[in-house]
Coordinates of all heavy atoms in Angstrom, one line a residue:
M1 N 0.8 -1.1 0.0 CA 0.0 0.0 0.0 C 0.9 1.2 0.0 O 1.9 1.3 0.7 CB -0.9 0.0 1.3 CG -1.9 1.1 1.2 SD -2.9 1.2 2.7 CE -3.2 -0.4 3.2
R2 N 0.5 2.2 -0.8 CA 1.3 3.5 -0.8 C 0.3 4.7 -0.8 O -0.8 4.6 -1.3 CB 2.2 3.5 -2.0 CG 1.5 3.6 -3.4 CD 2.5 3.7 -4.5 NE 1.9 3.6 -5.8 CZ 1.6 4.6 -6.5 NH1 2.1 5.8 -6.2 NH2 0.9 4.5 -7.7
L3 N 0.7 5.7 -0.2 CA -0.1 6.9 -0.1 C -0.1 7.7 -1.4 O 1.0 7.9 -2.0 CB 0.5 7.9 1.0 CG -0.2 9.2 1.3 CD1 -1.6 8.9 1.8 CD2 0.6 10.0 2.3
L4 N -1.3 8.0 -2.0 CA -1.4 8.6 -3.2 C -1.4 10.2 -3.0 O -0.9 10.9 -3.9 CB -2.6 8.2 -4.0 CG -2.6 6.8 -4.4 CD1 -3.9 6.4 -5.2 CD2 -1.4 6.5 -5.4
W5 N -2.1 10.6 -2.0 CA -2.2 12.0 -1.7 C -2.7 12.2 -0.3 O -3.2 11.3 0.4 CB -3.1 12.8 -2.6 CG -4.4 12.3 -2.8 CD1 -4.8 11.5 -3.9 CD2 -5.6 12.4 -2.0 NE1 -6.2 11.1 -3.7 CE2 -6.6 11.7 -2.6 CE3 -5.8 13.1 -0.8 CZ2 -7.9 11.7 -2.0 CZ3 -7.0 13.0 -0.2 CH2 -8.1 12.3 -0.8
C6 N -2.5 13.4 0.3 CA -2.9 13.7 1.6 C -3.5 15.1 1.6 O -2.9 15.9 1.0 CB -1.7 13.6 2.6 SG -2.1 14.0 4.3
H7 N -4.6 15.3 2.2 CA -5.2 16.6 2.3 C -5.7 16.9 3.6 O -6.6 16.2 4.2 CB -6.4 16.5 1.2 CG -7.2 17.8 1.1 ND1 -6.6 18.9 0.4 CD2 -8.3 18.2 1.5 CE1 -7.5 19.9 0.5 NE2 -8.6 19.5 1.2
P8 N -5.3 18.0 4.2 CA -5.9 18.4 5.5 C -7.3 18.9 5.4 O -7.7 19.6 4.4 CB -4.9 19.6 6.0 CG -4.4 20.1 4.7 CD -4.4 19.0 3.7
L9 N -8.1 18.6 6.3 CA -9.5 19.0 6.3 C -9.7 20.2 7.3 O -9.0 20.3 8.3 CB -10.3 17.8 6.8 CG -10.3 16.6 5.8 CD1 -11.2 15.5 6.4 CD2 -10.9 16.9 4.5
P10 N -10.7 21.1 7.0 CA -10.8 22.3 7.8 C -11.4 22.0 9.2 O -11.1 22.7 10.1 CB -11.8 23.1 7.0 CG -12.5 22.1 6.2 CD -11.6 21.0 5.8
V11 N -12.1 20.9 9.4 CA -12.7 20.5 10.7 C -12.5 19.0 10.8 O -12.2 18.3 9.9 CB -14.1 20.9 10.8 CG1 -14.2 22.5 10.9 CG2 -15.0 20.4 9.8
V12 N -12.9 18.5 12.0 CA -12.8 17.0 12.3 C -13.9 16.3 11.5 O -15.0 16.6 11.6 CB -13.0 16.8 13.8 CG1 -13.0 15.3 14.1 CG2 -12.0 17.5 14.6
P13 N -13.5 15.3 10.7 CA -14.4 14.5 10.0 C -15.2 13.5 10.9 O -14.6 13.0 11.8 CB -13.6 13.7 8.9 CG -12.2 13.6 9.5 CD -12.1 14.9 10.4
L14 N -16.5 13.3 10.6 CA -17.2 12.3 11.3 C -17.5 11.0 10.5 O -17.7 10.0 11.0 CB -18.6 12.9 11.7 CG -18.6 14.0 12.7 CD1 -20.0 14.5 12.9 CD2 -18.0 13.5 14.0
G15 N -17.4 11.2 9.1 CA -17.6 9.9 8.3 C -17.1 10.3 6.9 O -16.9 11.4 6.5
L16 N -16.9 9.2 6.1 CA -16.4 9.2 4.8 C -17.1 8.1 4.0 O -17.2 7.0 4.5 CB -14.9 9.1 4.8 CG -14.2 8.9 3.5 CD1 -13.3 10.1 3.3 CD2 -13.4 7.7 3.4
C17 N -17.5 8.4 2.8 CA -18.0 7.4 1.8 C -17.3 7.6 0.5 O -17.0 8.7 0.0 CB -19.5 7.7 1.6 SG -20.6 7.5 3.0
L18 N -17.0 6.5 -0.1 CA -16.3 6.4 -1.4 C -17.3 6.0 -2.5 O -18.0 5.0 -2.4 CB -15.1 5.4 -1.3 CG -14.4 5.1 -2.6 CD1 -13.6 6.3 -3.1 CD2 -13.5 3.8 -2.4
A19 N -17.2 6.7 -3.6 CA -17.9 6.3 -4.9 C -16.9 5.5 -5.7 O -16.0 6.0 -6.3 CB -18.4 7.5 -5.6
R20 N -17.0 4.1 -5.6 CA -16.0 3.3 -6.1 C -15.7 3.5 -7.6 O -14.6 3.4 -8.1 CB -16.4 1.8 -5.9 CG -16.3 1.5 -4.4 CD -16.6 0.1 -4.1 NE -17.9 -0.4 -4.6 CZ -18.3 -1.6 -4.5 NH1 -17.6 -2.5 -4.0 NH2 -19.5 -1.9 -4.9
E21 N -16.8 3.7 -8.4 CA -16.6 3.9 -9.9 C -15.8 5.1 -10.3 O -15.0 5.1 -11.1 CB -17.9 3.8 -10.6 CG -18.6 2.5 -10.4 CD -20.0 2.5 -11.0 OE1 -20.4 3.5 -11.7 OE2 -20.8 1.5 -10.8
T22 N -16.1 6.2 -9.5 CA -15.4 7.5 -9.9 C -14.2 7.8 -9.1 O -13.4 8.6 -9.5 CB -16.4 8.7 -9.8 OG1 -16.8 8.7 -8.4 CG2 -17.6 8.5 -10.7
G23 N -14.1 7.2 -7.9 CA -13.0 7.4 -7.0 C -13.3 8.7 -6.2 O -12.4 9.1 -5.3
S24 N -14.4 9.4 -6.4 CA -14.7 10.6 -5.6 C -15.2 10.1 -4.2 O -15.5 8.9 -4.0 CB -15.8 11.4 -6.3 OG -17.0 10.7 -6.4
F25 N -15.3 11.1 -3.3 CA -15.8 10.7 -2.0 C -16.5 11.8 -1.3 O -16.3 13.0 -1.7 CB -14.7 10.1 -1.1 CG -13.5 11.0 -0.9 CD1 -13.4 11.8 0.3 CD2 -12.5 11.1 -1.8 CE1 -12.3 12.6 0.5 CE2 -11.4 12.0 -1.6 CZ -11.3 12.8 -0.5
L26 N -17.2 11.5 -0.3 CA -18.1 12.4 0.5 C -17.6 12.4 2.0 O -17.3 11.3 2.5 CB -19.6 12.0 0.4 CG -20.5 12.7 1.3 CD1 -20.9 14.1 0.6 CD2 -21.8 11.9 1.4
V27 N -17.5 13.6 2.6 CA -17.1 13.6 4.0 C -18.2 14.5 4.7 O -18.6 15.5 4.2 CB -15.7 14.4 4.1 CG1 -15.4 14.6 5.6 CG2 -14.7 13.5 3.4
W28 N -18.6 14.0 5.9 CA -19.4 14.9 6.8 C -18.6 15.1 8.0 O -17.8 14.3 8.4 CB -20.8 14.3 6.9 CG -20.9 13.1 7.7 CD1 -21.2 12.8 9.0 CD2 -20.9 11.7 7.1 NE1 -21.3 11.5 9.3 CE2 -21.1 10.8 8.1 CE3 -20.6 11.3 5.8 CZ2 -21.0 9.4 7.9 CZ3 -20.5 9.9 5.5 CH2 -20.7 9.0 6.6
D29 N -18.8 16.3 8.6 CA -17.9 16.7 9.7 C -18.6 17.3 10.9 O -19.8 17.5 10.9 CB -16.8 17.6 9.1 CG -17.5 18.9 8.5 OD1 -18.4 19.5 9.0 OD2 -16.9 19.3 7.4
T30 N -17.8 17.7 11.9 CA -18.3 18.3 13.1 C -18.9 19.7 13.0 O -19.7 20.2 13.8 CB -17.2 18.4 14.2 OG1 -16.1 19.1 13.7 CG2 -16.8 17.0 14.7
A31 N -18.7 20.3 11.8 CA -19.2 21.6 11.5 C -20.6 21.5 10.9 O -21.2 22.5 10.4 CB -18.3 22.5 10.6
E32 N -21.1 20.2 10.8 CA -22.4 19.9 10.2 C -22.4 20.3 8.7 O -23.3 21.0 8.2 CB -23.5 20.5 10.9 CG -23.7 19.9 12.3 CD -24.9 20.3 13.1 OE1 -25.7 21.1 12.6 OE2 -25.2 19.8 14.2
A33 N -21.3 20.0 8.0 CA -21.2 20.2 6.6 C -21.0 18.9 5.8 O -20.5 18.0 6.4 CB -20.1 21.2 6.4
L34 N -21.3 18.9 4.6 CA -21.1 17.9 3.6 C -20.1 18.4 2.6 O -20.2 19.5 2.2 CB -22.3 17.4 2.9 CG -23.3 16.6 3.7 CD1 -24.6 16.5 2.9 CD2 -22.8 15.2 3.9
A35 N -19.1 17.6 2.3 CA -18.1 18.0 1.3 C -17.9 16.9 0.3 O -17.7 15.7 0.7 CB -16.8 18.4 2.0
R36 N -17.7 17.2 -1.0 CA -17.4 16.2 -2.0 C -16.1 16.5 -2.5 O -15.7 17.7 -2.8 CB -18.4 16.3 -3.2 CG -19.8 15.8 -2.7 CD -20.6 15.5 -3.9 NE -19.9 14.6 -4.8 CZ -20.4 13.7 -5.6 NH1 -21.7 13.6 -5.6 NH2 -19.7 13.0 -6.4
Y37 N -15.3 15.5 -2.7 CA -13.9 15.6 -3.2 C -13.7 14.7 -4.4 O -14.4 13.7 -4.5 CB -12.9 15.2 -2.2 CG -12.8 16.1 -1.0 CD1 -13.7 15.9 0.1 CD2 -11.9 17.1 -0.9 CE1 -13.7 16.7 1.2 CE2 -11.8 17.9 0.2 CZ -12.7 17.8 1.2 OH -12.7 18.6 2.3
D38 N -12.9 15.1 -5.4 CA -12.6 14.2 -6.5 C -11.5 13.2 -6.1 O -11.0 13.1 -5.0 CB -12.2 15.0 -7.8 CG -10.9 15.7 -7.6 OD1 -10.1 15.4 -6.7 OD2 -10.6 16.6 -8.5
R39 N -11.2 12.3 -7.0 CA -10.3 11.2 -6.8 C -8.9 11.7 -6.4 O -8.0 11.0 -5.9 CB -10.2 10.2 -7.9 CG -9.6 10.8 -9.2 CD -9.5 9.7 -10.3 NE -10.5 8.7 -10.1 CZ -10.5 7.5 -10.4 NH1 -9.5 7.0 -11.0 NH2 -11.4 6.6 -10.1
N40 N -8.6 13.0 -6.7 CA -7.3 13.6 -6.4 C -7.3 14.4 -5.1 O -6.2 15.0 -4.8 CB -6.8 14.4 -7.6 CG -6.6 13.7 -8.8 OD1 -6.0 12.6 -8.8 ND2 -7.1 14.2 -10.0
G41 N -8.4 14.3 -4.4 CA -8.5 15.0 -3.1 C -8.8 16.5 -3.2 O -8.7 17.2 -2.2
Q42 N -9.2 16.9 -4.4 CA -9.6 18.3 -4.6 C -11.0 18.5 -4.2 O -11.9 17.8 -4.7 CB -9.4 18.7 -6.1 CG -7.9 18.7 -6.6 CD -7.0 19.5 -5.7 OE1 -7.3 20.7 -5.5 NE2 -6.0 18.9 -5.2
L43 N -11.3 19.5 -3.5 CA -12.6 19.9 -3.0 C -13.5 20.2 -4.2 O -13.1 21.1 -5.0 CB -12.6 21.0 -2.0 CG -14.0 21.5 -1.5 CD1 -14.6 20.4 -0.7 CD2 -13.8 22.8 -0.7
L44 N -14.6 19.6 -4.4 CA -15.6 19.9 -5.5 C -16.7 20.8 -4.9 O -17.1 21.7 -5.7 CB -16.2 18.6 -6.0 CG -15.2 17.6 -6.7 CD1 -16.0 16.4 -7.0 CD2 -14.6 18.2 -7.9
L45 N -17.1 20.5 -3.8 CA -18.3 21.2 -3.2 C -18.4 21.0 -1.7 O -18.1 20.0 -1.2 CB -19.6 20.7 -3.9 CG -20.9 21.1 -3.4 CD1 -21.1 22.6 -3.8 CD2 -22.0 20.4 -4.1
R46 N -18.7 22.1 -1.0 CA -18.9 22.0 0.5 C -20.0 22.9 0.9 O -20.1 24.0 0.4 CB -17.6 22.4 1.2 CG -17.8 22.4 2.7 CD -16.5 22.8 3.4 NE -16.6 23.1 4.8 CZ -16.7 22.2 5.8 NH1 -16.6 21.0 5.5 NH2 -16.9 22.7 7.0
Q47 N -21.0 22.4 1.6 CA -22.1 23.1 2.0 C -22.7 22.5 3.3 O -22.4 21.4 3.6 CB -23.2 23.3 0.9 CG -23.9 22.0 0.5 CD -24.8 22.4 -0.7 OE1 -24.4 23.0 -1.7 NE2 -26.1 22.0 -0.5
P48 N -23.5 23.3 4.0 CA -24.2 22.8 5.3 C -25.0 21.6 5.0 O -25.7 21.4 4.0 CB -25.0 24.0 5.7 CG -24.5 25.2 5.0 CD -23.9 24.7 3.7
A49 N -24.9 20.6 6.0 CA -25.6 19.4 5.9 C -27.0 19.7 6.5 O -27.2 20.8 7.1 CB -25.0 18.4 6.8
P50 N -28.0 18.9 6.1 CA -29.4 19.1 6.6 C -29.5 18.7 8.1 O -30.1 17.7 8.4 CB -30.2 18.3 5.7 CG -29.3 17.2 5.2 CD -28.0 17.8 5.2
G51 N -28.8 19.3 9.0 CA -28.9 19.0 10.4 C -27.7 18.1 10.7 O -26.8 17.9 10.0
S52 N -27.6 17.8 12.0 CA -26.5 16.9 12.5 C -26.8 15.5 12.0 O -27.8 14.9 12.3 CB -26.6 16.9 14.1 OG -25.6 16.2 14.6
L53 N -25.8 15.0 11.2 CA -26.0 13.7 10.6 C -25.7 12.5 11.4 O -24.7 12.5 12.1 CB -25.2 13.6 9.3 CG -25.5 14.7 8.2 CD1 -24.7 14.4 7.0 CD2 -27.0 14.6 7.8
A54 N -26.5 11.5 11.3 CA -26.3 10.2 11.9 C -25.5 9.3 11.0 O -24.6 8.6 11.4 CB -27.5 9.5 12.3
V55 N -25.8 9.4 9.7 CA -25.2 8.5 8.7 C -25.3 9.2 7.3 O -26.3 10.0 7.1 CB -25.8 7.1 8.7 CG1 -27.3 7.2 8.4 CG2 -25.0 6.1 7.9
A56 N -24.5 8.8 6.4 CA -24.5 9.2 5.0 C -24.0 8.1 4.1 O -23.2 7.3 4.6 CB -23.8 10.5 4.7
A57 N -24.5 8.0 2.9 CA -24.0 7.0 2.0 C -23.9 7.6 0.5 O -24.7 8.5 0.2 CB -24.9 5.8 1.9
L58 N -23.0 7.2 -0.2 CA -22.7 7.7 -1.5 C -22.8 6.6 -2.5 O -22.2 5.5 -2.2 CB -21.3 8.4 -1.6 CG -20.9 9.0 -2.9 CD1 -21.8 10.1 -3.4 CD2 -19.4 9.5 -2.7
S59 N -23.6 6.7 -3.6 CA -23.7 5.6 -4.6 C -22.3 5.3 -5.3 O -21.5 6.2 -5.3 CB -24.8 5.9 -5.6 OG -24.4 7.0 -6.4
D60 N -22.2 4.1 -5.8 CA -20.9 3.7 -6.4 C -20.6 4.6 -7.6 O -19.4 4.9 -7.9 CB -21.0 2.3 -6.9 CG -20.7 1.3 -5.8 OD1 -20.3 1.7 -4.8 OD2 -21.0 0.1 -6.0
D61 N -21.6 5.2 -8.4 CA -21.3 6.1 -9.4 C -21.2 7.5 -9.1 O -20.9 8.4 -9.8 CB -22.3 5.9 -10.5 CG -23.7 6.3 -10.2 OD1 -23.9 6.8 -9.0 OD2 -24.6 6.2 -11.0
G62 N -21.4 7.8 -7.7 CA -21.3 9.2 -7.2 C -22.5 10.1 -7.5 O -22.4 11.3 -7.3
Q63 N -23.5 9.6 -8.1 CA -24.6 10.4 -8.6 C -25.8 10.5 -7.6 O -26.7 11.4 -7.8 CB -25.2 9.8 -9.9 CG -24.2 9.8 -11.0 CD -23.7 11.2 -11.4 OE1 -24.6 12.1 -11.6 NE2 -22.4 11.5 -11.3
T64 N -25.7 9.8 -6.5 CA -26.8 9.9 -5.5 C -26.2 9.8 -4.1 O -25.3 9.0 -3.8 CB -27.8 8.7 -5.7 OG1 -28.3 8.7 -7.1 CG2 -29.0 8.9 -4.8
I65 N -26.7 10.6 -3.2 CA -26.3 10.6 -1.8 C -27.5 10.5 -0.9 O -28.5 11.2 -1.2 CB -25.6 12.0 -1.5 CG1 -24.3 12.1 -2.4 CG2 -25.2 12.1 0.0 CD1 -23.9 13.6 -2.5
A66 N -27.4 9.6 0.0 CA -28.5 9.5 1.0 C -28.0 9.9 2.4 O -26.8 9.5 2.7 CB -29.0 8.0 1.1
V67 N -28.7 10.7 3.1 CA -28.3 11.1 4.4 C -29.4 11.0 5.4 O -30.6 11.1 5.0 CB -27.8 12.6 4.5 CG1 -26.6 12.7 3.6 CG2 -28.8 13.6 4.0
A68 N -29.1 10.8 6.7 CA -30.1 10.7 7.8 C -29.6 11.5 8.9 O -28.5 11.3 9.3 CB -30.4 9.2 8.2
S69 N -30.5 12.4 9.3 CA -30.1 13.3 10.5 C -30.4 12.6 11.8 O -31.2 11.7 11.9 CB -30.8 14.6 10.4 OG -32.1 14.5 10.8
K70 N -29.8 13.1 12.8 CA -30.1 12.5 14.1 C -31.5 12.7 14.6 O -32.0 12.1 15.5 CB -29.1 13.1 15.2 CG -27.6 12.6 14.9 CD -26.7 13.2 15.9 CE -25.3 12.7 15.6 NZ -24.3 13.3 16.5
R71 N -32.2 13.7 14.0 CA -33.6 14.0 14.4 C -34.6 13.2 13.5 O -35.8 13.5 13.6 CB -33.8 15.5 14.3 CG -33.1 16.2 15.3 CD -33.4 17.7 15.3 NE -32.6 18.4 16.2 CZ -33.2 19.0 17.3 NH1 -34.4 19.0 17.5 NH2 -32.4 19.7 18.1
G72 N -34.1 12.3 12.6 CA -35.0 11.5 11.8 C -35.3 11.9 10.5 O -36.2 11.4 9.8
R73 N -34.7 13.0 9.9 CA -34.9 13.4 8.6 C -34.0 12.5 7.6 O -32.8 12.4 7.9 CB -34.4 14.9 8.4 CG -35.4 15.8 9.0 CD -34.9 17.3 8.9 NE -34.8 17.7 7.5 CZ -34.0 18.6 7.0 NH1 -33.3 19.3 7.8 NH2 -34.1 19.0 5.8
V74 N -34.6 12.0 6.7 CA -33.9 11.2 5.6 C -34.0 11.9 4.3 O -35.2 12.2 3.9 CB -34.4 9.7 5.6 CG1 -33.8 8.9 4.5 CG2 -34.3 9.1 6.9
L75 N -32.9 12.1 3.6 CA -32.9 12.8 2.4 C -32.1 12.1 1.3 O -31.1 11.5 1.7 CB -32.3 14.3 2.5 CG -33.1 15.3 3.4 CD1 -32.5 15.2 4.8 CD2 -33.0 16.6 2.8
L76 N -32.6 12.2 0.1 CA -31.9 11.8 -1.1 C -31.4 13.0 -1.8 O -32.2 13.9 -2.1 CB -32.8 11.0 -2.0 CG -32.0 10.2 -3.1 CD1 -31.1 9.1 -2.5 CD2 -33.0 9.5 -4.0
L77 N -30.1 13.1 -2.1 CA -29.5 14.3 -2.6 C -28.9 14.1 -4.0 O -28.4 12.9 -4.2 CB -28.4 14.9 -1.7 CG -28.8 15.1 -0.2 CD1 -27.5 15.5 0.6 CD2 -29.8 16.2 -0.1
T78 N -28.8 15.1 -4.8 CA -28.1 15.0 -6.1 C -26.5 15.2 -5.8 O -26.2 15.5 -4.7 CB -28.5 16.2 -7.0 OG1 -28.1 17.5 -6.4 CG2 -30.0 16.2 -7.2
P79 N -25.7 15.0 -6.9 CA -24.3 15.2 -6.7 C -23.9 16.6 -6.2 O -22.9 16.9 -5.6 CB -23.7 15.0 -8.1 CG -24.7 14.1 -8.7 CD -26.0 14.5 -8.2
E80 N -24.8 17.6 -6.5 CA -24.7 19.0 -6.1 C -25.2 19.2 -4.7 O -25.2 20.4 -4.3 CB -25.3 19.9 -7.1 CG -24.7 19.9 -8.5 CD -25.1 18.7 -9.3 OE1 -26.3 18.2 -9.1 OE2 -24.3 18.2 -10.1
L81 N -25.6 18.2 -4.0 CA -26.2 18.2 -2.7 C -27.5 18.9 -2.6 O -27.9 19.5 -1.6 CB -25.1 18.8 -1.7 CG -23.7 18.2 -1.7 CD1 -22.8 18.9 -0.8 CD2 -23.8 16.7 -1.3
T82 N -28.2 18.9 -3.7 CA -29.6 19.4 -3.7 C -30.6 18.3 -3.4 O -30.5 17.2 -4.0 CB -29.9 20.0 -5.1 OG1 -28.9 20.9 -5.5 CG2 -31.3 20.6 -5.2
P83 N -31.5 18.5 -2.4 CA -32.5 17.5 -2.1 C -33.4 17.1 -3.3 O -33.9 17.9 -4.0 CB -33.3 18.1 -1.0 CG -32.5 19.2 -0.5 CD -31.7 19.7 -1.6
L84 N -33.5 15.7 -3.5 CA -34.5 15.2 -4.5 C -35.8 14.9 -3.8 O -36.9 15.1 -4.3 CB -33.9 13.9 -5.1 CG -32.8 14.1 -6.0 CD1 -32.1 12.8 -6.4 CD2 -33.2 14.8 -7.3
W85 N -35.7 14.4 -2.5 CA -36.8 14.2 -1.7 C -36.4 14.0 -0.3 O -35.3 13.9 0.0 CB -37.6 12.9 -2.1 CG -36.9 11.6 -2.1 CD1 -36.5 10.9 -3.2 CD2 -36.7 10.7 -1.0 NE1 -35.9 9.7 -2.8 CE2 -36.1 9.6 -1.5 CE3 -36.9 10.8 0.4 CZ2 -35.6 8.6 -0.6 CZ3 -36.4 9.8 1.2 CH2 -35.8 8.7 0.7
E86 N -37.4 14.1 0.6 CA -37.2 14.2 2.1 C -38.3 13.4 2.8 O -39.5 13.6 2.4 CB -37.0 15.6 2.6 CG -36.9 15.6 4.1 CD -36.8 17.0 4.6 OE1 -36.5 18.0 3.8 OE2 -36.9 17.2 5.9
R87 N -38.0 12.6 3.7 CA -39.0 11.9 4.5 C -38.5 12.0 6.0 O -37.4 12.3 6.3 CB -39.0 10.4 4.2 CG -39.4 10.1 2.7 CD -40.8 10.4 2.3 NE -41.1 9.9 1.0 CZ -40.9 10.6 -0.1 NH1 -40.3 11.8 -0.1 NH2 -41.3 10.1 -1.3
T88 N -39.5 11.8 6.9 CA -39.2 11.7 8.3 C -39.5 10.3 8.8 O -40.5 9.7 8.4 CB -40.0 12.6 9.1 OG1 -39.8 14.0 8.6 CG2 -39.7 12.7 10.6
V89 N -38.5 9.7 9.6 CA -38.7 8.4 10.1 C -39.1 8.5 11.6 O -38.7 9.5 12.3 CB -37.5 7.5 9.9 CG1 -37.3 7.2 8.4 CG2 -36.2 8.1 10.5
P90 N -39.8 7.6 12.1 CA -40.3 7.7 13.5 C -39.3 7.5 14.6 O -39.4 8.0 15.7 CB -41.4 6.6 13.6 CG -41.0 5.6 12.6 CD -40.3 6.4 11.5
R91 N -38.2 6.8 14.3 CA -37.2 6.6 15.3 C -35.8 7.3 14.8 O -35.6 7.4 13.6 CB -37.0 5.1 15.5 CG -38.2 4.6 16.1 CD -37.9 3.1 16.6 NE -39.2 2.6 17.1 CZ -39.3 1.4 17.6 NH1 -38.2 0.6 17.6 NH2 -40.4 1.0 18.0
R92 N -35.0 7.5 15.8 CA -33.7 8.0 15.5 C -32.8 7.1 14.6 O -32.6 5.9 15.0 CB -32.9 8.4 16.8 CG -31.6 9.0 16.6 CD -31.0 9.3 17.9 NE -29.6 9.8 17.6 CZ -28.7 9.9 18.4 NH1 -28.9 9.6 19.7 NH2 -27.5 10.4 18.1
P93 N -32.3 7.5 13.5 CA -31.5 6.7 12.6 C -30.1 6.4 13.3 O -29.6 7.2 14.0 CB -31.2 7.5 11.4 CG -32.2 8.6 11.4 CD -32.6 8.8 12.8
I94 N -29.7 5.2 13.1 CA -28.4 4.8 13.6 C -27.6 4.1 12.4 O -28.2 3.5 11.5 CB -28.4 3.9 14.9 CG1 -29.2 2.6 14.5 CG2 -28.9 4.6 16.1 CD1 -29.1 1.6 15.6
A95 N -26.3 4.2 12.5 CA -25.5 3.6 11.4 C -25.3 2.1 11.7 O -25.3 1.7 12.7 CB -24.2 4.3 11.3

């Protein structure tokens, strides 16, 4: 195994998801933000998350993101982090 690149993050990360087909990845952090990076570690987009996240997932092709907040909001997002739909679940989501 060898290190391909290293990138300092502005705040402490809480989670990371990889889109295996594109090599891009999603990070959510303690500042309640979502950030997308390309396969070279370059920031593509960073914006506020829809609340304090319990979990997030990124599709293999990087075209769909699912997030669940600690308050029970579940959202499906576009690659630009725009909501496609939102639902509320009766219990607190856990990873």
Side-chain angles (χ1 to χ4, degrees):
M1 185 181 326
R2 66 183 174 100
L3 180 64
L4 296 177
W5 52 262
C6 181
H7 181 73
L9 298 174
V11 293
V12 177
L14 293 175
L16 173 115
C17 296
L18 173 68
R20 294 185 299 177
E21 293 174 10
T22 64
S24 65
F25 58 98
L26 175 74
V27 176
W28 62 99
D29 58 42
T30 56
E32 294 187 358
L34 286 168
R36 291 199 49 153
Y37 293 84
D38 68 14
R39 68 177 26 211
N40 298 315
Q42 298 300 309
L43 179 65
L44 299 172
L45 178 65
R46 179 179 164 81
Q47 65 184 54
S52 182
L53 296 184
V55 65
L58 180 60
S59 65
D60 281 345
D61 65 3
Q63 296 300 305
T64 308
I65 300 159
V67 298
S69 76
K70 291 179 180 177
R71 293 183 181 246
R73 289 176 63 202
V74 178
L75 294 96
L76 192 65
L77 309 172
T78 67
E80 295 78 30
L81 305 177
T82 303
L84 290 170
W85 60 256
E86 177 180 346
R87 304 287 188 276
T88 302
V89 293
R91 296 190 182 180
R92 181 179 175 195
I94 57 172

